[in-house]
Amino acid sequence: MATIASATDSTTGTPLDLATLARQYRGDVFDQPIQLGATHRLAARLVLVRVPPDVAAARRRALRAKAKKKGYTPSRDKLALCDWNVYVTNVPADVLDVDEVLALARARWQIECLFRHWKSDGHLASSRS
């Protein structure tokens, strides 16, 4: 569950396990080239950014509450990933640094919210023609 489907480290070729990486990595930012795909390899980049402890704690509380409501116990892997924001991009590091990846992710989220607003309140999905 915590792996990116068919993602491998592009330098060593070993499969990546996000949960293990999240538990073992001690820095605040992880930025590494990866390969995506089982048969056709796509060059990509994995960027992990550690969130503040209060954000991680809130995520764990929400995850545990959801798990309790649905009748299961959250896995150790899912709890470990609560500490991180995970981004996968095909834009190389020499074109976008980590701060720019984060800025684009925030802008994309605002665009998603705008489209959701247009669709629900503006009735963008329905047309008279």
Side-chain angles (χ1 to χ4, degrees), residues 81-123:
L81 288 171
C82 288
D83 285 329
W84 298 93
N85 283 338
V86 180
Y87 305 96
V88 176
T89 181
N90 62 349
V91 181
D94 59 344
V95 176
L96 281 182
D97 64 19
V98 173
D99 290 332
E100 292 168 328
V101 169
L102 298 176
L104 284 175
R106 285 189 300 270
R108 183 174 186 267
W109 177 248
Q110 293 301 315
I111 292 168
E112 293 285 339
C113 291
L114 178 65
F115 274 104
R116 184 178 48 206
H117 174 71
W118 282 349
K119 286 173 70 177
S120 63
D121 296 339
H123 305 290

Side-chain angles (χ1 to χ4, degrees), residues 4 18 20 25 41 44 49 53-54 63-64 79 83 85 96 129:
I4 297 178
L18 283 181
T20 302
Y25 192 72
R41 295 289 186 192
V49 179
D54 56 330
L63 180 60
R64 286 186 178 111
L79 291 169
D83 285 329
N85 283 338
L96 281 182
S129 60

Side-chain angles (χ1 to χ4, degrees), residues 13-71:
T14 58
L16 284 177
D17 180 13
L18 283 181
T20 302
L21 180 64
R23 280 192 300 275
Q24 293 176 350
Y25 192 72
R26 296 294 167 227
D28 289 335
V29 176
F30 179 85
D31 185 2
Q32 177 178 330
I34 60 171
Q35 297 284 320
L36 292 176
T39 55
H40 300 288
R41 295 289 186 192
L42 172 67
R45 182 172 154 209
L46 175 64
V47 178
L48 300 174
V49 179
R50 192 178 299 274
V51 298
D54 56 330
V55 172
R59 288 179 178 180
R60 284 190 191 90
R61 277 193 304 276
L63 180 60
R64 286 186 178 111
K66 180 181 176 183
K68 184 176 180 181
K69 183 177 180 181
K70 300 229 179 209

